[in-house]
Amino acid sequence: MRKILFGILIMMGFAATAQAASDSFVWKDPVNGFTFSFPDSWSVQTADSPNVRIRIAGPLKEDFATCRIKAEKDGRLKIYPKHLMEEAVYETLDRTFWEDEIQDHENAALTDLRGPASMGGKGDATAIRETFVADTGNGKVNMYGEQIASIYGDTRYVASCSSRLEQFKRYAPLFATIMGSIDFDPRYHPFATGYYRDFLADPKLILPRSQPGTITPKRLFTLQTVHDE
């Protein structure tokens, strides 16, 4: 009886997993290679700026819930090794960057700046929350949103989600799931020395500064003629 019950629970677990998987859609950017997922009840909309790779909207139009991901070439941090990227990104994507970034929103105000953060578990990032006003075509509504930005490889990514101010708390967990699902193609090797042994820990090799034979030069030998007596 226990085995039968255990089997039923396993089948229920598989069914729940399959249902959860069918409720989400995984999208891959054909240009930059990153992926992210969102509910299949959400729809893909026309990009609202040239750098937007994808823009999606929730099923309830009156909530004005949308998310988008922008990608733009930014090679300023390519010279930094991976272990210094966290600090480099934090200093680059700072308050000044974000104050300029939110200028495409009407009456935008930055309410929170967080960092260091992580985008997709691979990209070092900073994140903000903001308030702004959106023109819906039938009047203006107060909006609240979150954004996270990362410089990964030679590209700067900015992911953002927002909704009507009154509905933000309802959407916040879903927004976190959508932005947290972003996954980049690996650009950095997980080990500083690759898959080789840690040769950087070897003793320092000291090489002679002079050429061999110059410290104690070979004696000069002269050929002597041997005379028979």
Side-chain angles (χ1 to χ4, degrees):
M1 182 64 182
R2 290 183 178 178
K3 291 183 179 180
I4 295 175
L5 180 59
F6 182 68
I8 294 174
L9 291 175
I10 291 178
M11 293 176 64
M12 292 176 62
F14 281 136
T17 302
Q19 183 178 2
S22 65
D23 290 341
S24 62
F25 178 80
V26 179
W27 182 86
K28 182 172 184 177
D29 184 4
V31 176
N32 300 284
F34 70 87
T35 61
F36 90 117
S37 60
F38 55 91
D40 58 8
S41 59
W42 286 47
S43 59
V44 177
Q45 295 189 328
T46 303
D48 54 359
S49 72
N51 296 325
V52 172
R53 300 305 306 160
I54 186 171
R55 185 175 187 269
I56 58 176
L60 301 179
K61 295 182 179 180
E62 62 272 18
D63 292 342
F64 303 106
T66 60
C67 293
R68 70 178 185 179
I69 300 178
K70 298 194 302 181
E72 185 176 2
K73 290 298 180 182
D74 188 338
R76 288 177 291 173
L77 305 185
K78 290 177 64 176
I79 63 172
Y80 290 90
K82 183 64 177 71
H83 68 279
L84 295 179
M85 282 297 291
E86 178 180 290
E87 183 177 355
V89 169
Y90 181 72
E91 293 181 356
T92 303
L93 305 182
D94 56 3
R95 178 174 291 272
T96 300
F97 164 80
W98 283 114
E99 288 176 347
D100 181 67
E101 183 69 21
I102 64 177
Q103 289 307 307
D104 59 344
H105 290 158
E106 183 179 349
N107 294 337
L110 196 157
T111 63
D112 187 23
L113 172 61
R114 289 163 287 167
S118 177
M119 179 183 284
K122 293 188 178 75
D124 299 289
T126 60
I128 65 163
R129 286 186 173 181
E130 61 165 331
T131 60
F132 61 98
V133 174
D135 189 348
T136 66
N138 295 317
K140 296 183 178 182
V141 298
N142 294 321
M143 303 286 290
Y144 197 82
E146 295 181 319
Q147 297 196 51
I148 184 170
S150 173
I151 298 178
Y152 188 73
D154 62 350
T155 306
R156 183 176 70 250
Y157 299 90
V158 180
S160 60
C161 290
S162 61
S163 71
R164 183 191 288 267
L165 176 62
E166 298 82 2
Q167 298 296 330
F168 179 79
K169 288 185 178 180
R170 173 187 173 188
Y171 283 96
L174 179 58
F175 288 162
T177 300
I178 291 175
M179 291 193 287
S181 69
I182 299 172
D183 188 25
F184 296 119
D185 284 341
R187 297 291 180 88
Y188 303 98
H189 201 283
F191 304 106
T193 58
Y195 285 116
Y196 301 97
R197 64 180 178 83
D198 188 8
F199 56 83
L200 296 178
D202 289 351
K204 185 177 180 180
L205 181 63
I206 301 177
L207 299 175
R209 296 184 178 180
S210 57
Q211 296 181 357
T214 59
I215 298 178
T216 306
K218 294 181 180 179
R219 295 181 179 180
L220 298 178
F221 293 91
T222 56
L223 295 177
Q224 296 180 353
T225 304
V226 178
H227 299 280
D228 295 334
E229 293 181 356

